[in-house]
Amino acid sequence: MGKVQQGAFGLDVGTSRVVLAQQSEGGRYDYRSQLNAFVTLPYSKMTENVLRKENIPHKVEGDQLIVHGNESERFADLLQVESRRPMTKGVLNASEPASSEMMKQLINSLNNGEPGAGRSLYYSVPAALLGEETNVTYHEATLGQILREMGYAPKAINEGLAVVYGEMEETNYSGIGISCGGGLCNVCLAYLSVPVLSFAVPKAGDFIDQSAAQITGELSTRIRITKESNFHINGHYSDKVQQVLGVYYDDMIKSLVDGLNHTLANTRNMPRIAKPVPIVLSGGTVMPAGFRDRFEKILKDSAFPLAISEVRMASDPLTATAKGALVAALAEA
Amino acid sequence: MTVLAFTRWLATTSLMRWWVEKRASNISGPVDRLRFLQTHQVTLKDLRARPTVPVPYWVVLVSGAAIGVSFLGVVSWRSAKSSPVAAPAQASELAKLERPTPVAKITAPAKIWVVESTGAIDTYSNGLRVEKKFATTNRPRAYYAYKRNQDLEISLTIRNQPAGIVFHTTESHMAEFTPEKNRTLRHYGENLIGFIREKKAYNYVIDRFGRVFRVVEESETAFHAGQSTWADDQWVYLNLNDSFVGVAFETQTVKGDESPQITSGQMVAGRLLTEMLRAKYGIGAFNCPTHAQVSVNPHNMIVGYHTDWAGNFPYEELGLPDNYALPLASVSIFGFAYDPAFMMSTGARMWKGLLAAEDQIREQAKQNGRSVAAQKAALRERYKKLSAPLGDSGKSAEGE
């Protein structure tokens, strides 16, 4: 990162990754990200020395060493242990006792251990799951509390709305922002920056990995590696793993489009939107080649009720949410 | 919902949405654009409201046509940057129009003199008759003006001649304007002027029959403008009680795009009185704003604390240019903000002044190498610094 302004932050708190956005002195947006995962190792002086020498973020907790963030995956592989996740399905993992502490560690390492110093920070939160009464109040409040304790002035922003703010300046922040991460797909329709509707569907990256793993008998990890390395959504698949991935991607996209249709049909007092609006796709799960085309085809086949000007990928799908959160924070400053 | 009500509703919401979109499209930078849109969120939320009764298709067509005409007649805008999505035909047509440069000519009115002065009435050479039976005194005018330069230097001379006129509405009870209600009309009018005299609220009041009453002597201060600000091309004025003559029409404020409730007698009298005051004190045409254009609330730094004559003052009929097109000094010089409530009460004519003020701020920000927000913050600080020593000069008739 370049020299940063004494200003605001945008934080994308995802199930898989946490991304911090900040504006540098030249007005450029800079990003740092960490895997939202950690592993615990038995404490030994030698291991701690190695971690320190290699600049690997870690923490000593009693008789354990905790490695979090990007390095956790490598250590999990090395030690043949499962990495632990502070979040699941878009919210803090209730069955992970260390979730709050780990979130704090992760965010701290993203900002190089600098205190919040009262600076404004917008953090992303998911929308309520479609058709379910669950809410995200606990998640939002806990994250807010963590960030306040770290010295920030935090405010929550809907994840889909953050995508709109990050990607739709040209349409005056009118359009549909979609963020497909590990735990959830978040959707928000905004009109002139005002959120009109938002919801989340529980089918996202983890759903695809786990479902495909179940069918093929492969490890989820291998499924994910296949998905991220050489998977194309084009209907022509070279092996069973790819074929199954294609099926579950279709399932996820259909859930998204059905959710949009259902929510649009059931939203009262929709504003009159005269112009066609764009749809922007973001998040790690939309990265495979061909995702945009497949999404557009399923959308067109569904007789979507709203005029759409284009379906496009975010300029950088992995940072769009953090960017939008930062834009919101700067706009408030 | 009546056709008229529907038309008004449609005009307000469509116009507002169009204005917000167009304005936002001209703002470069994602942060400033989002900030602008967010300041208009309440207004946009209002767009969700729809008529609660079915509206016939022909009503929509007629209303749309009416609004199209009013757009072309009243509002003009500068060309907007092209948008990546297709703009509606109406907006693209309007975008072709150029916004006029909001500069009013200074035309000195003809010389006007007192033809006859009796104990009760002054008669002027342009036909103006001023009734004096309610005339009273307050305290002599005394004010400073500030040079319109970078530092707004204070002029060292204490001034006691009015620099302009502020037009008001009395917001008083209104009886039906018919011969049968003559007695009530007179009763309301006289009670009103008695009240104004007691409060020393205006220098002149024009009742519904077009009679002009002098209340507080012209040479003295009336508590008409309260916290307020205005500027011409040379001077900036703060708290206009001392520096501007207060002229009130006996009427009530209506929403900015609706027709003003003003009688033909008031119109004629207003024109004659304006001519006389301008001739007597050499008042420039652009120093004749309405109270809504000058009123501010320093507590929340928002304009339009009072909204009388917010968008429908008959400038042309009074022999004045459309001063609504002038940039609001409160916004362009002192960084005051405006909220959706103000936008909704003003109507399209005042928006031109707001646009002009915003343009000036953007230009200043560019020159100073600051963001628009930083420029506005600096202007607000300037206001606080200049207004702090003014004490109760911003007192209004309500005693605020």
Side-chain angles (χ1 to χ4, degrees):
Chain A
M1 284 192 176
K3 191 178 173 189
V4 293
Q5 285 186 341
Q6 292 300 309
F9 296 96
L11 185 69
D12 172 12
V13 188
T15 307
S16 298
R17 301 191 76 83
V18 182
V19 184
L20 183 77
Q22 200 175 1
Q23 193 172 32
S24 68
E25 211 167 47
R28 197 181 70 240
Y29 297 145
D30 290 333
Y31 306 95
R32 285 194 182 118
S33 77
Q34 289 281 354
L35 268 183
N36 199 353
F38 65 99
V39 291
T40 52
L41 318 171
Y43 177 83
S44 80
K45 189 75 187 163
M46 193 181 77
T47 314
E48 192 192 4
N49 283 341
V50 171
L51 294 177
R52 190 178 296 128
K53 197 174 165 190
E54 296 291 321
N55 277 329
I56 293 168
H58 67 280
K59 192 183 180 202
V60 180
E61 279 279 326
D63 59 352
Q64 289 188 318
L65 280 163
I66 299 173
V67 177
H68 57 259
N70 295 338
E71 296 297 331
S72 63
E73 198 171 43
R74 191 151 63 95
F75 273 82
D77 249 4
L78 193 72
L79 303 169
Q80 291 294 300
V81 294
E82 281 290 333
S83 58
R84 289 158 66 180
R85 307 274 289 267
M87 284 174 58
T88 180
K89 294 179 181 171
V91 294
L92 286 168
N93 187 350
S95 58
E96 174 52 70
S99 61
S100 297
E101 183 54 32
M102 279 305 104
M103 289 306 303
K104 201 170 184 175
Q105 293 290 330
L106 273 170
I107 296 164
N108 196 41
S109 66
L110 283 171
N111 198 21
N112 293 329
E114 286 180 23
R119 283 178 287 181
S120 171
L121 183 149
Y122 270 58
Y123 63 101
S124 67
V125 292
L129 280 176
L130 193 64
E132 292 187 21
E133 289 300 312
T134 54
N135 66 50
V136 295
T137 310
Y138 172 77
H139 171 76
E140 183 179 328
T142 307
L143 277 179
Q145 180 63 26
I146 291 168
L147 291 163
R148 260 188 298 279
E149 282 171 8
M150 296 175 74
Y152 295 100
K155 266 195 185 171
I157 180 171
N158 175 279
E159 188 171 328
L161 184 63
V163 175
V164 173
Y165 288 172
E167 291 290 323
M168 297 190 198
E169 180 195 350
E170 286 302 309
T171 55
N172 287 331
Y173 306 105
S174 296
I176 297 173
I178 296 177
S179 171
C180 294
L184 299 172
C185 282
N186 273 280
V187 181
C188 178
L189 164 64
Y191 183 57
L192 296 180
S193 85
V194 180
V196 176
L197 63 88
S198 60
F199 64 90
V201 291
K203 290 179 179 174
D206 291 347
F207 159 79
I208 293 170
D209 298 349
Q210 285 156 17
S211 304
Q214 228 171 13
I215 297 289
T216 59
E218 294 282 358
L219 289 171
S220 284
T221 316
R222 188 181 160 233
I223 298 286
R224 187 163 54 79
I225 290 166
T226 305
K227 191 177 78 177
E228 290 175 359
S229 56
N230 60 357
F231 176 60
H232 294 246
I233 305 176
N234 55 12
H236 306 289
Y237 302 114
S238 56
D239 63 28
K240 190 175 178 188
V241 170
Q242 294 209 0
Q243 190 185 359
V244 173
L245 278 173
V247 168
Y248 281 106
Y249 257 104
D250 267 11
D251 188 23
M252 186 196 85
I253 294 170
K254 278 177 185 155
S255 296
L256 256 178
V257 172
D258 286 350
L260 265 168
N261 277 311
H262 172 83
T263 311
L264 280 169
N266 289 286
T267 300
R268 299 179 69 186
N269 295 329
M270 274 281 292
R272 290 169 300 121
I273 299 176
K275 298 175 187 173
V277 293
I279 292 179
V280 172
L281 304 167
S282 73
T285 303
V286 309
M287 297 287 274
F291 183 92
R292 193 210 72 84
D293 295 344
R294 190 71 189 143
F295 181 92
E296 190 173 41
K297 182 174 187 317
I298 292 174
L299 186 77
K300 277 183 179 163
D301 291 347
S302 77
F304 195 63
L306 203 62
I308 299 299
S309 58
E310 61 171 342
V311 176
R312 67 175 165 88
M313 299 289 285
S315 49
D316 179 357
L318 294 178
T319 59
T321 301
K323 180 185 172 188
L326 175 60
V327 168
L330 290 169
E332 190 211 48
Chain B
M1 182 177 276
T2 64
V3 173
L4 182 61
F6 177 76
T7 306
R8 284 173 183 164
W9 170 82
L10 193 63
T12 309
T13 54
S14 302
L15 202 64
M16 179 65 81
R17 180 174 58 175
W18 180 82
W19 181 82
V20 167
E21 287 205 64
K22 195 53 63 186
R23 200 66 198 147
S25 298
N26 286 333
I27 296 170
S28 59
V31 175
D32 285 342
R33 188 180 291 201
L34 180 60
R35 189 181 286 134
F36 171 83
L37 287 164
Q38 287 182 332
T39 59
H40 295 81
Q41 275 199 358
V42 175
T43 304
L44 294 169
K45 280 175 184 165
D46 292 343
L47 291 174
R48 287 168 179 256
R50 286 168 182 261
T52 50
V53 294
V55 180
Y57 185 63
W58 65 268
V59 172
V60 178
L61 287 179
V62 170
S63 307
I67 291 154
V69 170
S70 69
F71 261 137
L72 293 168
V74 176
V75 188
S76 58
W77 311 86
R78 71 179 168 199
S79 298
K81 281 195 288 186
S82 61
S83 170
V85 286
Q90 185 186 57
S92 59
E93 283 304 306
L94 288 165
K96 291 175 190 165
L97 299 176
E98 282 297 316
R99 183 146 54 91
T101 309
V103 175
K105 279 185 187 172
I106 309 173
T107 49
K111 190 171 173 61
I112 294 167
W113 63 95
V114 179
V115 176
E116 185 179 35
S117 180
T118 67
I121 291 176
D122 281 348
T123 305
Y124 290 82
S125 59
N126 67 341
L128 172 69
R129 285 166 56 86
V130 175
E131 300 197 19
K132 299 191 288 189
K133 65 179 172 184
F134 290 100
T136 185
T137 57
N138 189 12
R139 61 173 164 79
R141 290 181 185 277
Y143 67 94
Y144 292 105
Y146 304 84
K147 277 186 191 165
R148 190 162 180 177
N149 56 23
Q150 185 72 22
D151 301 320
L152 294 189
E153 293 163 46
I154 193 165
S155 72
L156 295 175
T157 317
I158 295 179
R159 300 173 177 218
N160 50 30
Q161 293 282 302
I165 305 166
V166 174
F167 296 106
H168 302 259
T169 54
T170 56
E171 297 301 311
S172 47
H173 293 300
M174 303 275 279
E176 196 182 348
F177 198 68
T178 58
E180 297 75 38
K181 297 284 182 185
N182 197 45
R183 198 170 157 187
T184 310
L185 286 163
R186 289 186 60 170
H187 176 68
Y188 279 179
E190 282 169 16
N191 273 356
L192 169 70
I193 296 167
F195 177 78
I196 288 168
R197 182 180 195 273
E198 187 188 322
K199 295 286 183 185
K200 303 180 191 301
Y202 306 108
N203 297 100
Y204 286 98
V205 179
I206 303 173
D207 77 359
R208 299 185 73 197
F209 301 113
R211 294 182 297 177
V212 179
F213 293 91
R214 182 174 294 145
V215 186
V216 178
E217 293 289 344
E218 280 165 27
S219 58
E220 311 234 330
T221 297
F223 301 126
H224 63 98
Q227 304 281 1
S228 49
T229 178
W230 190 248
D232 53 37
D233 55 354
Q234 292 183 54
W235 299 100
V236 177
Y237 308 93
L238 283 177
N239 298 347
L240 311 183
N241 287 344
D242 282 84
S243 48
F244 281 56
V245 178
V247 173
F249 290 82
E250 185 188 357
T251 185
Q252 288 185 349
T253 293
V254 291
K255 277 184 79 174
D257 286 323
E258 296 177 13
S259 298
Q261 294 186 352
I262 185 168
T263 64
S264 56
Q266 285 177 302
M267 203 88 85
V268 172
R271 183 180 184 113
L272 297 177
L273 178 60
T274 304
E275 274 180 7
M276 184 276 285
L277 290 170
R278 288 188 59 203
K280 187 170 179 181
Y281 299 108
I283 293 171
F286 47 61
N287 269 356
C288 301
T290 67
H291 196 192
Q293 290 174 275
V294 302
S295 174
V296 295
N297 183 351
H299 300 295
N300 59 12
M301 295 303 286
I302 288 179
V303 301
Y305 184 69
H306 292 275
T307 56
D308 27 344
W309 292 126
N312 47 21
F313 187 70
Y315 274 118
E316 193 183 346
E317 289 80 353
L318 266 67
L320 293 166
D322 185 5
N323 280 347
Y324 286 123
L326 295 171
L328 264 65
S330 49
V331 178
S332 66
I333 297 176
F334 294 119
F336 277 79
Y338 43 94
D339 58 10
F342 182 68
M343 298 293 293
M344 295 302 279
S345 66
T346 57
R349 290 172 71 193
M350 178 82 95
W351 297 354
K352 287 192 281 185
L354 290 170
L355 293 178
E358 291 283 356
D359 284 347
Q360 289 190 350
I361 289 185
R362 249 195 300 284
E363 189 56 37
Q364 295 164 18
K366 203 170 154 188
Q367 283 172 6
N368 294 330
R370 292 175 176 152
S371 69
V372 170
Q375 179 64 20
K376 284 185 176 175
L379 297 178
R380 287 195 290 270
E381 278 309 307
R382 177 158 82 172
Y383 175 82
K384 284 173 188 165
K385 196 173 152 192
L386 289 181
S387 62
L390 295 178
D392 70 347
S393 68
K395 183 184 172 187
S396 70
E398 294 93 16
E400 295 148 10

